[in-house]
Structure formats: structure tokens, C-alpha cells
Amino acid sequence: MRAFLRRTAMRRPAVLMVALPGATEVRLAVEAEVRRRGWPVADAPAAADLLVVCGALEAGSAEWLDGIQRSMPEPALRIVVQETGQVAQALDGAREGLTERAVTTSAEADTGGHQQEVAAGEPGDHAYEGRYGHGGDQGYGGSPSQAPDDQGDNDDSTGHDHGDHAAHSPREGHESHQPDHHATHMDHMDHGGSSGHMHQMGHDTHAMGEIAGLSMAERGDDRDELRLDQLHVPIGPGLTDWPTGLILRLTLQGDVVQGVEVAHLPILSGLGLPFWDEPWLRAAQGEEVARGSAARRRCASHLDSAGRLLAVVGWDDAAARCRRLRDELLSGASRQEISGDLRGVLRQVERSRTLRWSISGLGELSSSRARAAGVSGPALAADGDAYDRLLMWLDDIGRGLEGLDDRRPLTPEELTGPRGRLDGEQPPSQAQLDILPELLSGAEFACARVIVASLDPDIDELALAPGAVHV
């Protein structure tokens, strides 16, 4: 009976997705296929059966992914998908692998072997791994420790204990929540690691002592000139509803952010143009790109960003609708097919007083300060807080609907992508990353994710060298 129940449960495995820089298109394909199959999406490793890694990693190591995998209950399975055309095959194989693992694990539990296997604690001992896409094992590797020097992570920075996420479960739809709903999530927000992130800080420049493997707090002056404890907490890169590859190192006093260091996973060369900016960059290279195609990509990008922000604040139903409409846009749905449902979502979000109250005042960024920092696009035009930036995305989507059928070609001078000007001194997302420490400093820890999601920087853009886009 136990084996039968396990096999039945694995017909619809709970999926935890981790995307890597350069894999936006693969991530979107995986999300669309998982939704089409009706599989639940997990928001923590302890609630997941299947870990889907989207994109290519540097060969050599993947300790932070091992940390996530160790936090998953048996039968745990991890696959790496590098190509959009391999998504359906990869998920089919994953379900078969999970079913086999479920039966095997059940049999071992009956004989007492399962406990010995789990106690070994090594991912290779009790978790299946699969890779889909070209390159074979070259699609597996890389870790936060290979990011720029200011990260300072070791392989333990992304470890987990099951107990940290015991209360988590796959998401269920609900109307809305206040930000304090997410305060409990903030203690777990590094889904790339939770039990490990305090341990690893002893190896960082903070040089804190340890007791039973846990780092001690430091002392530092707070904003009221009092000497209070300081904690150093890394966030990302394996967190759900989080910009791909982004890593933040926060210095906290109580629940207030006092310092921020920004880093990201390595961006591999040869990955092609950033997905969301592709129409404008192709036009800049002299290709003929219809304005309607660019408008479609812009609307889809803003729906992706809005869905992430809405998911962070607890609006899971609206977030799911945004993502479904995003996928319909990318698959070529006409304006007539999509406009009614899309405008309904926009009205729902714009008219919600609860949503406005919950995120207003977070991450204030005036247009003058944004311009001075090199920020462009919606973040500049919003001239305000997280709620204003959300409304700016929605306004852009509404205007973009009218241009979906425009077949006139983009001109090389039209170089404003979803996040801003692509012909500036630096990519739009680099300016957003540069302004993040200023926006996060002084904010409450539970609000940090909202502020980050309201900017939604695209790490893929950082592959664009300064001055690489010429008119």
C-alpha cells in the first residue's frame, strides 16, 4: 500500500525551479509545461519532489544546488534542462524516475535500508540526477562561490535543514496577504540555503565566532547610535520569485537592513542575446523586427515582473494569471484573444486598496535620483515607490496591447527595452543593481523582497558590454 501511495503521489510531483543566468527562455518553457500538466509548484525545498535547474552551469561544482537537493524529502530528484525543446521529455523522464525512486525508497524503508541511506547525507547516495540538452555533464556545475570576489560564499552557503521549511507547502491560490505574511518567509528566503548561510559567514570577512556550527552576532552602531547585534544574511540565488542569479548580502540589526552587498552568479559566454531585450538588439544589428513583436515582448516581460512582485506579496491568483497571459502572448495570441482577460487582471490589481496599502512607501526612488544613478525605463518614469513601479508596468502593458499588430519595422534608434535604454553607458539592470543598496538600507527585512521585485533586474543584461550597442 505504501508503494502504491508513493507511485500515485509522484504522478503530479511538486516542482521547485531554479533558473540560471542566460536561461530565461528555458525557464519560461518549464513554467508553461508544468502549468499545462497541472503539477504543483513548490516554494521551498522541503515541499518539493523535483528540482528543475534551468540553464547551463560552469563545469566543476554545484555545491549550492546540492544543498537545495539535500533539503528535499525522499524521493528527491534533480534534472538540468538546457534547451526549450527538451522540456517535455525531461519532465516525462523525471516523473518516471521519481516513480521508480518512490517504489525503491518504500521497499528500503520496509527493510530499514532507507534510514541508513538518508543518514549518509550525500546527494549522490539518495537522489537521482538527470541532464537534458547539449553538452552532457558540461551543463552541470558552477556555484555562488564562483561569482565575483565580493560574494565570499563557500559551498555551505546554500545548505538547508528540513526543519527550516517544515511548515511550507506548495502554493494554493488566495486573494491577497499583507507583507507580514511574508515576514516568516524572510527567515527562509535563501532557498539556496538556510541552515548553511549562518555557518558559512564564519569563513567570510565578518570573522564571527561559531557555537555548534552557528555564527555569533557582531556588534555595530545602529541608526540611533546604539551598539546592537549585527547579523550577516545572504539571500539568493535559489530563492523562488527572485531575480535569476542575484545574490544579496544583508547586514541586519534587528529587522532593519543596515548594509547591502550585491553580487550574482557567473554569466557564461556565448549564451546569445538577453531574451527580454532581443527584439531591440536585433534591430540595432540591422535585422528587420516588427514593432508588434517588440511590443509583445515588452508586455510579456512586464507581466513576468508583475507576476513575480504579486507572488512575493501573496497575490498568488493574480500572479498566476499574469504568468498565464505572459505565456499566451509569447505563444502568439492575438490582441482579440487576450485583451479581455488581460484588462481584467489590470483592473483587479489597480483597484485593490489592500495591495496599494501593503507596498506603498517601499523603495522610494524619485526620478531625479534615478536619472542621476543612470536608471531608465519604467523605474525612472514611475518616480515613486514599489506600487508606482507596478502601476507603470501595468500602464506599459495596456499601451502595448494596442501595438501588437503593428507590422512596421523597428528603427535602429528605438533602443528602449523593458528595463530601459540599451545604448547607454551601462545595461539598464546594472543601474538598478547599483541603486539597490540605497533603496534597501534602512528598510525592514520583510520588505526587502518587495523592493527587489519592484525593480526586477535582469542579470542576463549584464553580459552586454558597455557601449556594445551602437546606433
Side-chain angles (χ1 to χ4, degrees):
M1 176 61 72
R2 180 182 298 176
F4 171 76
L5 292 176
R6 284 179 176 268
R7 284 198 302 269
T8 302
M10 291 306 103
R11 292 176 182 173
R12 296 178 65 250
V15 179
L16 178 65
M17 283 174 277
V18 175
L20 304 172
T24 298
E25 191 171 9
V26 176
R27 170 180 67 86
L28 295 173
V30 171
E31 289 181 2
E33 183 65 19
V34 167
R35 183 176 57 255
R36 187 189 68 79
R37 295 172 181 237
W39 292 3
V41 176
D43 61 0
D49 303 305
L50 172 63
L51 174 61
V52 180
V53 181
C54 304
L57 285 159
E58 286 186 333
S61 65
E63 292 88 353
W64 66 283
L65 289 173
D66 293 342
I68 297 177
Q69 192 171 350
R70 281 192 295 266
S71 302
M72 296 167 59
E74 289 286 353
L77 187 149
R78 177 170 82 200
I79 62 174
V80 178
V81 184
Q82 299 183 20
E83 298 177 0
T84 57
Q86 298 293 330
V87 171
Q89 176 188 349
L91 294 182
D92 287 340
R95 181 167 54 185
E96 293 176 5
L98 276 170
T99 301
E100 293 174 3
R101 288 287 309 163
V103 175
T104 303
T105 302
S106 179
E108 289 172 348
D110 291 337
T111 62
H114 170 65
Q115 288 81 357
Q116 296 176 0
E117 196 173 37
V118 173
E122 294 298 327
D125 289 343
H126 65 277
Y128 171 86
E129 295 176 7
R131 300 175 182 84
Y132 296 84
H134 60 78
D137 287 349
Q138 297 304 312
Y140 175 63
S143 72
S145 62
Q146 294 174 295
D149 293 339
D150 58 351
Q151 289 182 20
D153 275 16
N154 65 7
D155 61 313
D156 287 334
S157 66
T158 49
H160 261 269
D161 279 339
H162 281 296
D164 291 340
H165 294 282
H168 282 277
S169 62
R171 293 186 175 180
E172 298 178 358
H174 54 280
E175 181 70 13
S176 64
H177 286 284
Q178 310 295 333
D180 57 358
H181 166 76
H182 292 275
T184 56
H185 283 289
M186 302 307 295
D187 295 332
H188 307 21
M189 68 176 3
D190 183 8
H191 288 163
S194 134
S195 66
H197 64 169
M198 295 311 301
H199 170 72
Q200 70 88 24
M201 297 306 296
H203 302 282
D204 205 348
T205 56
H206 308 299
M208 293 182 287
E210 292 185 356
I211 295 180
L214 298 178
S215 300
M216 297 290 291
E218 291 180 330
R219 289 295 182 95
D221 294 331
D222 78 338
R223 55 189 176 185
D224 298 320
E225 299 183 357
L226 300 176
R227 297 284 292 179
L228 300 178
D229 288 346
Q230 288 184 332
L231 293 177
H232 303 278
V233 181
I235 308 176
L239 180 64
T240 57
D241 299 314
W242 181 256
T244 297
L246 178 62
I247 301 170
L248 296 183
R249 297 192 163 283
L250 305 183
T251 299
L252 303 177
Q253 285 187 317
D255 62 348
V256 178
V257 178
Q258 298 286 359
V260 182
E261 296 179 12
V262 180
H264 58 81
L265 291 178
I267 304 172
L268 303 184
S269 60
L271 294 177
L273 299 175
F275 178 78
W276 295 123
D277 298 329
E278 183 182 6
W280 297 271
L281 295 176
R282 286 172 49 207
Q285 294 172 355
E287 297 184 38
E288 184 171 314
V289 179
R291 292 183 178 181
S293 297
R296 186 177 297 273
R297 189 68 59 94
R298 186 189 306 277
C299 289
S301 176
H302 289 335
L303 283 168
D304 187 60
S305 297
R308 181 170 289 148
L309 176 55
L310 292 170
V312 167
V313 299
W315 274 50
D316 291 338
D317 289 340
R321 292 177 69 187
C322 285
R323 287 163 174 164
R324 176 178 57 80
L325 290 167
R326 170 204 66 193
D327 295 339
E328 291 180 6
L329 273 173
L330 291 174
S331 64
S334 67
R335 183 178 62 179
Q336 292 75 18
E337 293 172 331
I338 202 172
S339 60
D341 198 6
L342 183 54
R343 294 191 188 280
V345 174
L346 300 185
R347 285 195 300 270
Q348 176 189 4
V349 174
E350 290 171 343
R351 294 178 180 179
S352 173
R353 295 182 180 180
T354 302
L355 178 62
R356 179 174 184 172
W357 172 83
S358 64
I359 64 176
S360 290
L362 301 180
E364 290 272 2
L365 180 62
S366 66
S367 58
S368 59
R369 180 67 191 97
R371 189 174 294 106
V375 175
S376 57
L380 170 64
D383 188 24
D385 54 24
Y387 183 71
D388 295 318
R389 289 190 283 275
L390 174 60
L391 291 184
M392 185 56 59
W393 286 334
L394 302 183
D395 289 343
D396 274 0
I397 293 169
R399 289 192 299 269
L401 279 179
E402 304 303 322
L404 292 183
D405 300 326
D406 191 343
R407 297 186 178 182
R408 293 176 298 167
L410 278 175
T411 64
E413 292 77 18
E414 297 178 90
L415 283 172
T416 301
R419 287 166 177 80
R421 296 291 301 179
L422 299 171
D423 57 348
E425 296 181 357
Q426 59 184 353
S429 291
Q430 183 62 64
Q432 293 181 353
L433 294 177
D434 292 343
I435 201 71
L436 260 182
E438 180 179 328
L439 298 184
L440 293 175
S441 296
E444 294 184 0
F445 186 34
C447 299
R449 285 195 64 187
V450 177
I451 295 172
V452 172
S454 71
L455 287 174
D456 197 26
D458 182 9
I459 301 300
D460 293 1
E461 289 186 342
L462 305 189
L464 299 174
V469 180
H470 299 284
V471 178

